[in-house]
Every structure is written in structure tokens, then in C-alpha cells.
Amino acid sequence: IDILDYSEAEVLPDSFPSAPAEPLPEFLLEPEDAFIVKNRPVQLRCRASPATQIYFKCNGEWVNQNDHVTRESLDQITGLVVREVDISVSRTQVEELFGLEDYWCQCVAWSSAGTTKSNRAYVRIAYLRKNFEQEPLGREVRMEQEVLLQCRPPEGMPAAEVDWLKNEDVIDPSQDSNFLITIDHDLIIKQARLSDTANYTCVARNVVAKRRSSTATLIVYVSGGWSSWTEWSECNARCGRGWQRRTRSCTNPAPLNGGAFCEGPPFQRVTCTTLCPVDGGWTEWAKWSACGTECTHWRSRECQAPPPRNGGKHCSGSMMESKNCTEGLCARTLAPGMGVAVYAGLVGALLLCVILVLCVGVLAYRRRCRHLHGDITDSSSALTAAFHPGNYKPPRQDNPHHLHPSAPPDLTATAGAFRGPLFSLQQGVIDSPHKIPMTTSPLLDPLPSLKIKVYNSSTLSSMELPADICSDGEILSLKSVGTVGRERDYHSHTLSREPGLSTSTTLGNQGGRLTIPNTGVSLLVPPGTIPQGKFYEMYLIINKWDKTTLPSEGSQTVLSPVVSCGPSGMLLNRPVVLTLPHCAQLDTPTPDWTLTLKTQTHQGAWEEVLTVGEETLSSPCYLQLEEECSHVVMEQLGTYSLVGQSCPPQPACKRLQLALFAPRAPCLSLDYSLRIYCIHDTPHALKEVLDLERSLGGVLLEDPKPLLFKDSYHNLRLSIHDIPHSHWRSKLLAKYQEIPFYHIWSGSQRPLHCTFSLERGSLVVSQLACKICVRQVEGEGQIFQLHTDIQELCQEIQNFFFSPSLCLPSSQVGPYAFRLPDSIRQKICASLDAPSARGCDWRLLARSLGFDRYLNYFATKPSPTGVLLDLWEACHQADADLVSLATALEEMGKSEVLVVMTTDGDC
């Protein structure tokens, strides 16, 4: 029938419509990549429609027709023929392929319209090696620490998938967000918990096999923390010297899973003294009184031998005793009217005594007034006469209160006491050149406290103090120059000054810099800080430790000297920069310090100004920290100091210096001693010890050595070794000496030192060689290798290296105090103050200079760039060249400013 149909089709007329052209084959199913597992062959299949023939082509060669399995079907929708072909690929075929290319196969389908090729399907041999490239390792970690467990699965085809097991349970990061599995198959535990203590296993699997890594045991431990101290116990001695103690426990938290026990002692003990109770005792009876009208007389005694104290018992018995004074012979009744006469006589005698006492008092008062009028010169006449020595009248020899020239009073305890040369007051002229110096006779030293008031008016008298700080003057005056009719500005200030620890100078609108030599303390007053047309006498003082209250409290420690700058209350147009050296060790990778700047109020109490890292918009200062000093940008002058305390969990460290001194060489004595000072690693602390030893005739034997002192409650231990016992012996019976931890950490006792007392065998012995070891218990230490000749020290004592204190302060006034010329400063400010959309403004300059810890402080200033440049001047006081600033500007692309700096500056 089919044949007939075909034959009939050949003779159909041309008028019948022609059949539509057959389309190209379209693959309904293309062969997919496959893996040969062990020796099992894989099946590749493809399906196309319409297709008259389908064959596979592998690695460029046609597969034998007999290896094809073909199936045909008819698409019910389109009516086209669908042809499907399968082939089988064995492991042997894949292994016999030579070359770098993988084994591949491709389908080719035919129709009357042409041919179509499918995508290539690659056939590979699957495998999974046994050994992991990297297995996880067990660890012990602190609670809340991040943990990384690494795993590199074995090489395989296809690449292995990785799962993590925790105690044989699969870890699902979607169920526990504390776990994270990276693309490299590492397991990250974001914050280790106690529940994360477990065995962890890395499992790799593919179509061939599954591999398990070795088990890694993770232990999460908790280090112990101290609880709060208990209250001090009662003194164990009811009478006399005893002990008090307080305790703390390592339960906040308690150590777990092998965590470290708390460092430091669990208890503290201090001495106490309980006053012993003293029972009262009677004194001897007094004499009997006169016989009274009642024919009795009295006598008394007191409970004062000794009086009862500290809870002692009071005397038992009566205080008074009476008895008949006539042995019964006295008549107890008086005649009528005799009682009134007796009482009238007693009253008259009493009035007479009162009159006599008043007369004697009046005579004594008049005589005393004559003495005083002859001894004291009127203060007003003394001032108008410029205190000429001829106006002073010598005191009378019989006056017990005369001024003794050999015993002047202690004026350092009286605020505002005036000592040193005086100058006369000139009426109507300010800063008159005709100042008449007073005599420096000790007779003037005991003058009462004199306060200097300076008024901003040409109609008032003024007084100018000399600028020489080598005198003992203790008054720092504040001067303002103005015109007639201007509002009066009154300032007065009195403050104790020590030679070498203070400086002062008169500054105006152009500003300047005050520096206390060899201490690292300075004050930068930028141009424009002081109003135009006014001049102030500004001062900078380092307060001595024994004359000020310490700013530290609790576990805080003092890190810088206590510095006063003033006058306090002075109105500033822009911030000044105070530089304070400190002894905090700051080069650790994690922050160990909580640093706080404090200021002292007028009442003497200390208040926090700011804590580093916790600044807000209301913070009145900005603190720039460097390795050895800090710079305080502030708008209020006063007394400041830097304190700190450890920031858990790591203990902080202070930088100390160890200085070894010997006394004036005992050329004619057998005794010899060595003194070791433990001081802060700041220039001021070293200068203080050098000045002290200079007054004692001491000699510095070696350069000071550094020591890191940790906040660990451990004492500082000092010991001496390798003494040549044939010629020397130590008088110290103990093996070592210790300086308590609290004395060093609190900074309340300065300077601290230990003395090693030695004795040589004879005066002939002059060589001394020994070792002195200084270390913190369970901490760092230093060793002094001492080799000295006593006789050489005797000869060189006159050439001791101490230089006398500089008489003049190191102060710079006006443009000479600043490295950056004012013209360059103004152009930099004009270029960077305006905000830039690209951020190329003062904020980028702050980041380039390292002043970007809290940018909001600078943002509140009228010229943020100006404040940044002032801080740069303070930070580069010793090495202030414009190269570092020019480099920062070059990185910002401010070429126009660089041109100005090159032409006007010193780049």
C-alpha cells in the first residue's frame, strides 16, 4: 500500500499544494557529563526531533553503529518523528585515551534539512584520595574568643563536599548563627561558648567514597576573675598593735576547663592599733576648806590620775568629803542681823577686786600701745615713700615679737607671700621705666601676704613683677594694657613656684610658647588666642608631689606630672595646646589602658575632663596621645594631669626608670652605700631625682635603665650579688629588699628608692665590682653590672655632670615660637576649611597627620584646619620641619598650597 501511495504521488498534478519543508533536528535531550565509579560503565543518551538518523561521535571518531541502541516514537502534538539513541562508555575506553584532554562524546542528528550537533559530554573516572591536605587541630581557647578550625579535603573527582560534625552531629549554620563554614571549608566559631567544648570532625564525600579527618578537641576555658574586696575585719588585738585583713575570692568568674587562676593575693593585711582602755584614778585630796557657817569644812579630789580614756572605768567613790570642823563645839545659830552684815561685807570686797583688775588692765594696754607705735611704720606711708630703708624704725630690744633676721618665717606655706626684690608703685603711668628696686634684706621677708591687683586703666597704679624666675617670688601677675575709659579687667593669682619647675612670660595677640626646660612640659598659645591690644602674663608650673593632692583614686595611677597653666579663668579666643609627658606603655596590639584627663577645681577636688575613646560633642578638650607624651587641646586654663587604669582582661604596664647613685665618695670612711631610684620614665621625674642627688652630693654611676612595671599586684624586688667578700661586706641581713606594689603603682610617694649599705675592709680598698638585680616578682627585670673606683669618684666629684639650673625660662614670643609662617597658615586654612564633596578638606588632613580619633571636636571650631595646625606645631616642637606637613598636603593633591610653602616656607 505504501508503494502504491508513493507511485501515485509521482503522478499527482502540479496544481496540488507542495508539502512543507522538514525543519532542522532539535535536541530534546543532550548527553550529560558522567563519572565512572569503579568499573561500572556509564550510559550517554540523546533525543532529537525530527531526525532520520542519530549517531555518537567520541573524541572526534564515530562510534560503531552496532554500539548504538536506537528507539523511535511519534510526537502526538507535532506529528514529527522523535529518535533516541544510547551508548555505553567503559572505564577501559576512557583510560585508553592518550593526551591531556578528557574523554568526550557528542550527538549528531540528521534530517532532510541538514544536521545538528549537541553539546559535548565529558566522561571522567571518579576517585577520592584517602589523606586530607589539612586536618583540624585541637585547641584551648578563652570564652568569647573567635575560633578557626581549618580543613582541606582530599583531592577527588568530582570535588568532595565537606560537612562538619560536632560530637558526631552535623553542624548546620542556618540553625546556629554562631557557626560559619567558609568557601574554603573552614569552620569559624564567632564567639566561643562553654557549650562549644566538643570533638569536631571534618567529613569529605563524593560519588566514590566518604573520608573522615582526625578529631579535633576544642576546649573553651574561663579564666578566673577576682570578686570585690570584703570589708576590713576588726583589729585582732583588743589592746595595742594588731592586724586587719580583707579577702576576695576568684569567683567572678571562677576558672573553668583549665582557665588561669586569678593573679595577685587573695587577701590583704594591714597593721592597726587599738587604744587600750585606761581606768580613771583619784588625785590626792585637796586641803580642807575654811570652817563654814554650818560648822563643817570640805575637801575635794578629781578623777584625773589618770583620767579615764578609751572606754576605761570611771573612778568609784565620791568627789567631795565634809566633816564637822569644831568637834561639836560650834554654835550653828547667829544673832539676828549678823548674817546680813556678813554678806554685805563679801559683796563689797568683790567689787573692790574688780575695780583693781580693770585699772591694771588699762595701764598695761597703754604701755603696749606705746611699744607698737614705736615699732611699726604705717603701710601707706611705706608705699608712697617707695619703702626706702631710712623709713624703717628698728624694733625695741624688749619686744618679744621683733623681726629676727636670722630666722625668717616659712613663706612657702602662705599663698600669695611676696619674696624677692620689690618695685615701687608709680601713680598714673602703666609700666613706668622708673622702678626703684628695694633692698633684699631679710628684715622685709616677714611682711604679711601681699596681693597684687592689676587694673586695665591708665588712671590706676600698676605693679610689674620681674620676669626672673630664679628669685623666690611666688606671685604671678596678670597684666592688661588698655586705654582711658576702657572697662576694668581685674585679675589676681598667687601660686607657689619652684626654681626649674616653672616659667612665665608676657604674651599678646601674636601668641607664643612656654617651655619648662628638661621636663617635656610646654604650653603653645597660638596667634589670635589673646584679644588684640591686650597682654597677659602667662605661667606654666609643675606642682611638686608633696604640695598637691593626687588625681588618682581607686585602682587608677598617675601617669604624668601635675601641671598648672594660667591665669585660670582667662577668656581664650581659640584653644591652646598643653603638652604633658606620660609613662604609659602604649605599643601593645590591644588597648590595655583606660586613660582619663583630670582637672583640679578651685576647692582642690579633682574632676574628670574626658576619657580617651569616650569623647562626645560636650567634651571640652581633645587629647592626642603619642608614645611618650600627650597633647591636650583645650580652651580652659587650670591644673591638669593624666591618670589611667588597666583595661581588662590584660594588665597595663607603666614605663619606669632605674637610676643607680653613689653618695659623695667616702675617701676617709669605710662605709659606702648604693641608692637605686625607681621613677616614672618621664624627663620631669628624672630631673627631680638628679636635682635631689645633686643636693646630696650623689653621683650617677650608670645611665638609667628602663623597666616595664605590670599591674599585677607584685612587688618590686631588689638584690645585690657577687660582692667581693674578701674586701667588702654587706650590712643588709635580708637576701633582698622590696618596694610594695601599691607605692609604685599609685604614684603617691616620690621618689622611691632602696639603699644597699656596704663596708670595705680598709681605706686602701677602692675597687668595687658587683651586680644589682631589680625585677618585678613574676615580671621583667634589669641588672646593673657595677665596676667603679672610689678614688676616681673622689677626684671627679667636682666635675659631676649636673649642670646648674637655667635661670631664664625657655619661652618664645610672637612668630619666632612657630615653625609655620602665618602667611602659609592662612592659605592652608583657606584651602581646607571649606567642606569638599570628595572629602579632600581638613578631615583628610587630620587623617594624614594622625589626628582623626574624634573629628567632631575639630568640626565645632570656626577654623578646624587652624586647630589641626596648632596641634601639629605642639607635636613637632623638637623636630618641626615642614616636610612632614608638605608630604601630607601632597598626598591630598593640594598643589597650590605646596607652591606657597616652597616659595614662602622652608621645605
Side-chain angles (χ1 to χ4, degrees), residues 507-513 523-532 538 572-577 812-823 825-826 829 863 866-867 869-871 873-874:
L507 297 181
N509 181 259
Q510 290 186 335
R513 190 194 304 263
L523 177 68
L524 182 76
V525 182
T529 302
I530 300 175
Q532 186 72 34
M538 304 191 68
L572 305 177
N573 288 345
R574 60 184 301 169
V576 298
V577 185
Q812 297 170 295
V813 180
Y816 300 102
F818 308 102
R819 187 66 183 89
L820 193 64
D822 188 59
S823 59
R825 169 190 293 267
Q826 293 179 3
C829 294
S863 175
V867 180
L869 295 178
D870 295 338
L871 183 56
E873 289 270 9

Side-chain angles (χ1 to χ4, degrees), residues 131-365:
N131 297 325
F132 280 75
E133 295 182 7
Q134 184 174 3
E135 295 186 290
L137 301 176
R139 298 177 59 187
E140 294 183 0
V141 298
R142 187 178 64 254
M143 190 169 67
E144 297 185 354
Q145 180 180 341
E146 185 180 86
V147 183
L148 173 64
L149 297 177
Q150 294 182 316
C151 176
R152 296 293 179 269
E155 181 185 355
M157 182 62 70
E161 298 179 358
V162 174
D163 291 323
W164 280 91
L165 304 181
K166 174 185 177 182
N167 291 337
E168 302 303 321
D169 294 330
V170 178
I171 296 176
D172 186 0
S174 62
Q175 299 295 327
D176 190 344
S177 59
N178 197 40
F179 292 104
L180 175 65
I181 299 178
T182 66
I183 194 172
D184 296 327
H185 311 299
D186 295 334
L187 176 65
I188 295 178
I189 303 177
K190 299 177 182 178
Q191 287 186 326
R193 304 160 296 191
L194 289 176
S195 59
D196 294 329
T197 299
N199 294 323
Y200 292 85
T201 307
C202 180
V203 178
R205 55 183 172 81
N206 66 1
V207 295
V208 178
K210 179 190 294 185
R211 306 278 188 249
R212 291 171 58 98
S213 69
S214 59
T215 299
T217 301
L218 179 67
I219 298 177
V220 181
Y221 66 85
V222 178
S223 296
W226 288 115
S227 64
S228 300
W229 287 103
T230 61
E231 296 294 332
W232 287 104
S233 65
E234 295 183 358
C235 196
N236 64 346
R238 295 185 177 180
C239 176
R241 184 184 177 88
W243 297 95
Q244 282 180 292
R245 62 179 289 156
R246 62 176 182 175
T247 60
R248 57 180 178 175
S249 58
C250 190
T251 56
N252 187 30
L256 293 174
N257 296 337
F261 196 78
C262 304
E263 294 186 5
F267 66 91
Q268 286 183 341
R269 190 172 69 168
V270 295
T271 59
C272 58
T273 302
T274 304
L275 298 177
C276 299
V278 178
D279 295 338
W282 291 114
T283 60
E284 295 293 333
W285 286 104
K287 293 182 179 181
W288 288 102
S289 65
C291 194
T293 58
E294 299 294 328
C295 299
T296 58
H297 58 177
W298 302 82
R299 67 175 181 176
S300 63
R301 58 181 178 176
E302 295 181 352
C303 189
Q304 295 293 329
R309 295 192 304 269
N310 308 326
K313 297 179 181 179
H314 200 275
C315 303
S316 60
S318 61
M319 296 178 59
M320 300 190 68
E321 182 183 41
S322 65
K323 69 176 182 178
N324 190 289
C325 56
T326 61
E327 297 180 359
L329 301 178
C330 179
R332 293 176 178 265
T333 59
L334 294 175
M338 289 187 63
V340 176
V342 171
Y343 288 116
L346 291 176
V347 171
L350 181 61
L351 291 175
L352 182 60
C353 292
V354 171
I355 292 172
L356 290 175
V357 170
L358 290 176
C359 293
V360 172
V362 170
L363 292 175
Y365 176 76

Side-chain angles (χ1 to χ4, degrees), residues 718-724 735 769-773:
L718 302 92
S719 56
I720 188 169
H721 307 274
D722 300 343
I723 301 175
K735 293 183 179 179
C770 62
K771 294 180 182 178
I772 297 180
C773 178

Side-chain angles (χ1 to χ4, degrees), residues 469 476 495-504 514-523 539-548 558 560-566 578-581 600 606 638-641 682-688 691 750:
I469 68 165
L476 303 177
L495 194 62
S496 175
R497 297 171 58 178
E498 295 288 340
L501 297 181
S502 61
T503 183
S504 65
L514 284 78
T515 303
I516 303 179
N518 304 323
T519 62
V521 177
S522 64
L523 177 68
Y539 62 85
L540 187 64
I541 299 175
I542 299 177
N543 296 281
K544 298 201 70 173
W545 296 100
D546 54 353
K547 295 184 180 179
T548 183
V558 182
S560 76
V562 178
V563 176
S564 298
C565 55
L578 176 64
T579 299
L580 299 173
Q600 192 174 29
W606 285 94
T639 301
Y640 292 89
S641 182
T682 60
H684 161 252
L686 180 60
K687 180 180 184 298
E688 184 180 14
D691 291 342
R750 302 284 179 100

Side-chain angles (χ1 to χ4, degrees), residues 699-719:
V699 180
L700 183 66
L701 299 182
E702 289 191 20
D703 291 337
K705 294 181 180 292
L707 177 70
L708 291 181
F709 192 76
K710 186 183 296 184
D711 182 12
S712 61
Y713 297 99
H714 291 300
N715 298 339
L716 188 69
R717 183 171 296 178
L718 302 92
S719 56

Side-chain angles (χ1 to χ4, degrees), residues 367-422:
R367 183 176 180 182
R368 179 176 178 82
C369 286
R370 286 197 301 268
H371 284 242
L372 292 175
H373 285 304
D375 291 344
I376 299 179
T377 303
D378 180 62
S379 60
S380 61
S381 63
L383 288 174
T384 56
F387 287 107
H388 287 299
N391 291 343
Y392 178 77
K393 183 175 181 180
R396 297 178 182 270
Q397 297 301 323
D398 56 348
N399 187 356
H401 303 286
H402 70 277
L403 305 175
H404 199 290
S406 63
D410 183 10
L411 300 183
T412 60
T414 304
F418 185 86
R419 297 161 65 182
L422 296 176

